[in-house]
Amino acid sequence: MLALYNNFDEAEKVVSELRSADIKGFNADDDLTVKSPIEHPEVEEFLGDKPVKVQWFTLVGAVMGGLLAFFLISGSQASFYSQMKGGKPIVPIPPNMVLTYEMFILGGVYITVLGFLICAGLPARRSPLYSAKVSEDQIGILVKADESAAATLKGIFAKHKALEIQEEAGR
Amino acid sequence: MIENDFDRRDFLKVLGWGGTAVALSGCGYTSIEDGKETVTSYVTLPSYVVPGISNYFNSTCAQCEAGCNIMVRVREGRALKSEGNAASPINRGKMCGLGQAGIQAHYNPDRVQTPLLNGKAVSWDQALKEIEGKLNGVKGDEVAFITGTMSGHAQALLGNYMDALGSKNHFSYEAVSPAVARAANKKAYGVAMPRFRIDKAKVVVSFGADFLGAWVSPVYFSQAYAQFRKGNRPEGRGVLVQIEPKMTLTGANADRWLGIRPGTEGIFALGLINALGAAGVKVPADIAAAAKDYNPERVGTDTGVAFDQINKLAALLKERTPSLVLAGTAAEGYAYGSQNAMAIAMLNHVLGNVGKTVEAPASVPFPQLAPTVGSRSALTALNAGLAAGKYKVVFSYGANPVYSAPAAMKFKDNFGKAGFKVAFAQYLDETAKAADLVLPLDSAMEEWATVVPEYMPAPYEGHAENYAQVSLRQPVMEKLYPNKEGSGTRSVGDILLALLKQRKPEAYKGFDDFYAYLRSAVLEKKTVFGAAAKDDNDIFWNDTVGKGIVALNGVTAKLAGRASASELALPAPAAPDAAYPLRLIPSVSASMRDGRNANEPWLQESPDPLTTIVWDSWVEIHPKTAAKLGIVEGDIVDVSSKSGSIKAQAYLFPGIHPDAVSVPVGYGHEAMGRYANGTGANVFAMLDPVFDKETGELALNETAVKISKTGARVIIVKEEGPIGGSQAGRKKIAVKVSAGKVDLTKEV
Amino acid sequence: MTKDIREDIAWAQINQDVMKSLENPRKLYWVILFAALMVFSVGIGCEIYQYIEGMGVANMNNPHMWGLYIATFIFWIGMSHSGTLLSAILHLMHADWRKPIYRFAEAMTTFSLMTAGLFVAVHLGRVWQIYYALPYPSERWVWPNFQSPLLWDAMAIFTYLSSSVIFLYIGSIPDFAIARDNIHPGWRKKLYSILALGWEGTDRQWRNFRVTYLTVACFLIPLAVSVHSIVASDFAMSQQPGWHVTSFPPYFVAGALYSGCAAIITLFIILRYVFKFEEYMTLPILKKTVRLTFAIAMVWTYLNCIEFASVWYSHDQVAKDVLIQKATGPYAPFWWAMIFCGSVVPFVMMFKRFQTNIPVMFAVSLLLNLGMWLERWMIVAPTYSHGYYPWTWDHDQWPSLIQWGIVFGSFGWFTLLFMVFCKIVPSVSMYEVKEMVYHRSQATKKKQLGIEGAH
Amino acid sequence: MHFSLRLFTLLAGLFLAAASYAADTAPKLTTADDLGPEVAQPIEFPHFRHAGDEKDGGMQINCMYCHTYARRSIVAGIPPVQKCIGCHQNIPSVRETPRIKQLFEYYDNNKAIPWKKVHDLPDFVRFNHERHIKRFYFQQDRPYQEVCGYCHGDVKTMVVARRQKSLTMGWCANCHQKDHPVNATSSETGHGPNDCFTCHK
Amino acid sequence: MSVSNLLENWSKFRHTHPVEDKGHPDWEAYPSGLKTDIKWAMAIDLDACTGCNACSVACYAENNLPVVGKEKYAHGQEMHWMRIERYWGEENGEFKAEQGAQFLPMMCQHCEAAPCETVCPVGATNHTEDGLNSQIYNRCIGSRYCSANCPFKVRYFNWYNYPEQEESWPAPMHLQLNPDLTVRTKGVMEKCTFCKQRTYVARNNARNEEREVADGEVQTACQQACPTGAISFGNLHDPSSKVAKQWAQQGVDIIKEVQDKDKEREKMEHEGKEPEKMVRGYRILEELRPYPSVMYLERVREESAV
């Protein structure tokens, strides 16, 4: 069930009420989603804290990239017919460090983005309950609930004069 | 190096270069390609030829008259590179750039490949028949033969041919030979070209003798020079003083270069004698008499060299003996050139060098093989004859008079007057173009010949004092243009032999080609050539060919007493003509010489040592003079004399006397080949017809010129950068140290 | 005080305005596009000729082994840096006035990097063997030489390019969603729905989005710095006088930001006109950008002086000679032109009335870029013609028309890419403008409330 | 979510695989043993007949009897026609076979046979037969079939020779890296030169 | 096994040549029996050099150098690996010819620590185990960084496709090309190789006969041509070779960037003492620490002469 609201204040009220009101067959933690046209941290506070795990991907990626770079480069220098160049050691540290640094960043960025896609569940199919308005200027509140809870929820939505309420039956 | 189990001619037949694949593809593709190329394979092969390993064949360089002994690297039938023959006393395994480029004369794309009659290709038979026809009913003295310096059996054949024709008119012409000096030497020492022992001298005073660059036998003299400069030889490191109006390569290597006013070399020499006398050196009476008026002050004013320098030089010469004084091209190129040369030669007598550093030369025991050294007077004589319409048939070989004769001589027109003109030519050069019949010549890599060096080297590595040598030239690869159906090239020897057969068939029918003639001629005299009578001919011959040098017991000439110095009379330097204030000095560069090798790209591309200019000729002007005329580097200037003018780029050059300008000879060919044509200007053409009073040699340096800007300006194509030869204050690039500071005695 | 942006502007309005830029720009757009195409094709023609004939046609020679190609290469690399500056650095600083303009700045980053990449290929003598320089396990057991600064370059640029592409893309996912929702059906709609990855703006998406965007931004800043200091090390690591300068890396970075900002001003003005973005790319924002640029110009000038000073007071006569030759030799006109454009012209930006004067700023920004291009050329060429070894000193070597043609072609190529991009991707970040508007209106509301409370 | 996780693991796996492969790869890559193209020769020279084993009707002639330059020159070379004739004029039994007829034709017209190169390395590569023969045939005293076979494959079973080894740089290097005993007796080993400049000209 | 190889031979891969000289890592390729410890080096006596250009032409002949012609020469695109430089004496900005000119043959100095090697992106130029600065034509991709970093500017680039250009080797001139070398194509850097093809043959002969390369066994083309024998070339590690003797005698040590004798000379000059007899060996741009393998001997001029 998707309800659209005009501004954040209303949306927040709705959310908080939904969470406080204990409705059978409706778990506010899992079944409640807010869709907004812009990034809006306040709403999330009302949704209760949900941790973000992207940083871990970042760490792994960066470290992996760095190590890979160093060993790949030094290893290949060692296996390159051990050619002497300009009186420098065959495996010189400074240049390898430069490249390690670059690969460190490269790995970091790539894996971070990968992490983002995973954590944000993208790419994903769009749910049928979606309104173009959300990408424009309205806030959508999407709830999943049993038939039994439907009426109550609708009530709550209506109370806060939702602009529009979409409903999808089944499941 | 070479085993001779295989007849050379057969060898060349089997070892064709045709099949050899030449790697031009370079580093293009990275994959291996099977079955694209063919392997070099032969029907039969001498055991000493191994694919992938080079053979070296000894021969003789033909790039100049020095006749250096070379060995040519041959692989899979291709001549690759000529290198010096280490056994040779002339060049001792070394070579000059000019010689190196000989290989390009051989492979030159502009060679004449078939006989041409009035520009149309004909077969050799037709060509020879034509000659015979033209010679019919022509009296002997109506035939003239102009050649360059010649020697060896080809010359002997030529002599025989001229005799057969009953002609005495063999003109041996060299545009830049030291003929005047030779004449003067004859008077001063009794021999035309004594052995100059630079390697024995402590001081060498050279009056414009460019013995490191283009004088007589440069590579040989370079060896001597190296000796002379060694600090660890008993005489210690030698001192070289060069006195000349325009700096030559030798001048550039002198400890002291004196830029003297052109033409006053003789005066300087006498002044020096005078100064030596003053310094207490014993001077023969007649010389002293001749030199007495030349006190340093006067000489200083005449020559433009500060007189204290003359005294210092005298002191040096007095202190360090033996010394050696040389008279070179620059000194002799004047109306009174022989006077100059004579005066300079006298110096050697005064300094007592004769017998010490001026030695009696040895020569080969066969006069008919000895070189006929070319001269410019020969051309004058021929020209006179031609002008008078005396000659019906004219042959030319190894000379390019149409190019190198001064325009004032009108040689080209006179040449045209001759009824029938035959040119033996490798290129279709100016003379060949003017000729009716052109006979294509083999290159030096394709022909058989014997060469007697113009300058016989001093004994080397345990040779006898009277060492003399005959050098052999042998084909090192199959002809590029073989004699198929009458076309192709032939060696001068073969041509002369064929011509002789027309005259005296019976005398020469024994020899089917020049090789056979040469072989038998040598074997005839094999005892003289150092073989025992009982030696097997083939072994001896193969051995000789393998060595490329035949050492002989030469005949040593005597140094005769000198002529009296009483007739030494040197005019004071003429006041410069107002209309033509400057003196033109045609300079002879080591690589370009008289221009016969101008079509060898390596020579065009290798920078002139002193100016670093490539691919063009130039006008050397002293910065002061240039400033006066408002000329800057790269200005196209018009250099004009009474008899002609050229346009060339100006180059400001510190090594030249302010009253002189210098233009290199050898450039500006109208016809020769893709590399020579139109590069630079031909300075021969504009020379004034002034001749040496005694020898009648054309005086090269007697041309007065004026210079004017044309307004055009170019960026000179040269090796050096915009700051010329400056080191921009950098410490350690090319470092010079004064001899007093270093200890050279213990150097390896 | 004038506001950076109207706070009462309706969000729907924002969508419409920006979406319009994808539909119908002004005529000028097509003119520019066509011109760019022409110039680019000239460049291509020259390159083909050079490819066939060999590098000789560019009229380089023995001392002058590198010419305009490398100079222009550095120029483009430099240009790329300001995008990062605006999007990443200012993002971390929460300077929200960047929001309307950072999108095209990032686009500029990406495309100038692509252009720079072209020059690597153009410059090589045997570009068909370029794969030799890639570190891949080959049958031959050979590897590129990791000691070579050129290889660091390649690595750095690759990292930078890919990262900034990703950054650009991540940043515009929500806008793709908007485009997807608002555009009429057609190939574009399909395209956008793919690019949007099914973005719905759920709280979960936003949450991760925020963190990711921040992280990548953090990575980009050191990366950007490293990239241009590595380019600098192409020269600083070498031994040549005038190149072997310690202060090169920071000097290059400053120069990079400088030229980048100048370029942003130019493009700002163009886009503003072409896409009718007066509402969003407002004069106050221009003013802020200009001030930023002026600051950086001063930094660059300072570093420039430092470089000269360090050369001048060192006892390295050779390096000194190069400097003198720059100021007096055949390159003097260009060198002084560089000083003028780089250090004198920016003072125009001090004056308030010019800061918002479109034509003046347009001209100035162009001059600045010219100056920065000259700077790069003046780094490369004079050292060649005046190195350690006097004999190899050269007359000033003048690039051939081929060389010039390829250089100009690169500008065409860049403009082409950029203009096409702006036509396909919203060049103003809609959702962020909304945020900007939202937060600012909130702020003012609070202020008013405060005032009323006082009564 | 799960879709993306799978994607992630897949990508990460690929990345790691590629990386470890790259880091540890080179030696494994050079085991090619492919066959070169058929090369049409002017005369179909039956190598198996000359060099082949007894049981296959071969005469077990040493490679270097004909390719005699291999031991003293950089190239192995093709024998001059004279060499073939030298034997074949005394072998009347095969005198009339078509190939031998061809051979004698060439000889009588004094024409060299335009053999095609089979093992044709690029022009910038320098392969020295002499060194390899010295090292493996004379010093290590291996059988000649083996020594020549390293690079030329099993020629003694072929009619017209055909390339059997890849002869690529990696293939050469693979062997140059190995330690080979100095000679038949000693235990001391050394590997081929590693300098690019030794083989690249 | 690159990584394991890396860890096993770490120390080998870390030593810097030539300063802490443990030689070239590849010397292990030669079992003790045939160890040929070679360092090719050259000594050029500027006093003997007359600047006659013979060496330069010989180089053209030996190394398949193309003739570029006037127009390209004008653009500075000439290809002479060996160039003869001519300097004048200078006095307050004016050239002085009184002591003649000063010639300097300049070719690749084969530096032990060559600046060109480190910067090549593909490793086409390396330090070989016999002490040459190699140039692998086929590996070169033409980035021209090596030349940019060469203080002597002795590297020459193939600006055009000379092998296929009509004027470089018009038939039959191509028959003269030396089969022991590649003909370099468009876009490749090249330079003096100390006549690698010759040293290669000499070394192979030596190893076939299981001996060391004798002094004078191999001559470079320029050395062979030089009419005054100003150039000497040989193995610096063979104390009996002429080159080694010269280097030793001139007090030039290949792995020093400042020679002791120069230190002393400086000290004396600093103390205002006149250095008495000195030796004349020096290396160009030594102070940049490329450790060149070519030693020059100062030209000597007699000041007392006139």
Side-chain angles (χ1 to χ4, degrees), chain B residues 23-27 29-45 47 49-53, chain D residues 37 39 69 72-75 78 80-82 107 110-113 115-118 120-124 163 166-167:
Chain B
L24 261 176
S25 60
C27 21
Y29 62 98
T30 53
S31 67
I32 55 182
E33 332 187 296
D34 298 346
K36 297 262 169 62
E37 290 176 10
T38 49
V39 196
T40 51
S41 72
Y42 301 105
V43 176
T44 161
L45 212 53
S47 67
V49 175
V50 176
I53 295 179
Chain D
V39 177
Y69 308 119
R72 45 199 174 113
S73 167
I74 188 165
V75 298
I78 294 288
V81 186
Q82 198 182 24
Y107 186 66
N110 190 11
K111 268 227 217 64
I113 308 174
W115 298 108
K116 289 263 175 293
K117 257 190 199 162
V118 173
D120 186 5
L121 297 175
D123 291 340
F124 51 81
R163 184 163 56 82
S166 66
L167 301 191

Side-chain angles (χ1 to χ4, degrees), chain C residues 10 18 57 70 99-100 143 186 196 208 225 252 263 302 304 313 340 390 400 402 411 423-425 447 452:
Chain C
V18 178
V57 297
I70 292 294
K99 289 185 166 164
W143 293 88
N208 292 290
V225 173
F252 268 53
Y302 166 72
N304 216 356
Y313 288 108
F340 176 76
S400 70
I402 300 295
F411 284 84
K423 188 82 170 56
I424 291 175
V425 178
K447 223 186 270 139
E452 283 160 17

Side-chain angles (χ1 to χ4, degrees), chain B residues 259-282:
Chain B
I260 189 175
R261 170 170 300 126
T264 59
E265 287 83 356
I267 296 174
F268 189 96
L270 292 176
L272 197 52
I273 292 173
N274 194 334
L276 281 165
V281 177
K282 195 184 143 302

Side-chain angles (χ1 to χ4, degrees), chain D residues 35-39 118-119 152 155 158 160-165:
Chain D
L35 234 56
E38 300 262 11
V39 177
V118 173
H119 299 83
H152 293 286
V155 179
M158 306 178 188
V160 172
R162 185 174 176 192
R163 184 163 56 82
Q164 224 172 35
K165 308 288 180 176

Side-chain angles (χ1 to χ4, degrees), chain B residues 472-492:
Chain B
L472 258 132
R473 182 179 301 147
Q474 63 174 322
V476 295
M477 74 178 273
E478 193 192 16
K479 286 184 181 183
L480 284 169
Y481 310 108
N483 294 329
K484 288 201 238 63
E485 55 274 352
S487 77
T489 59
R490 289 191 186 180
S491 75
V492 62

Side-chain angles (χ1 to χ4, degrees), chain A residues 2-57:
Chain A
L2 176 77
L4 296 176
Y5 288 89
N6 211 338
N7 60 37
F8 285 100
D9 310 349
E10 290 172 352
E12 283 165 19
K13 292 205 196 69
V14 178
V15 173
S16 44
E17 178 154 356
L18 282 173
R19 289 178 64 83
S20 51
D22 158 26
I23 304 156
K24 185 167 143 300
F26 165 69
N27 173 350
D29 287 344
D30 317 351
D31 302 350
L32 179 59
T33 315
V34 176
K35 300 184 178 180
S36 66
I38 65 167
E39 182 186 318
H40 191 62
E42 291 84 346
V43 183
E44 288 154 19
E45 290 162 19
F46 288 91
L47 289 169
D49 63 335
K50 299 202 173 148
V52 179
K53 302 199 182 53
V54 178
Q55 306 89 322
W56 296 108
F57 285 92

Side-chain angles (χ1 to χ4, degrees), chain C residues 292-309:
Chain C
L292 182 66
T293 314
F294 179 66
I296 298 172
M298 290 306 108
V299 173
W300 177 82
T301 312
Y302 166 72
L303 283 165
N304 216 356
C305 301
I306 286 293
E307 190 211 330
F308 299 156

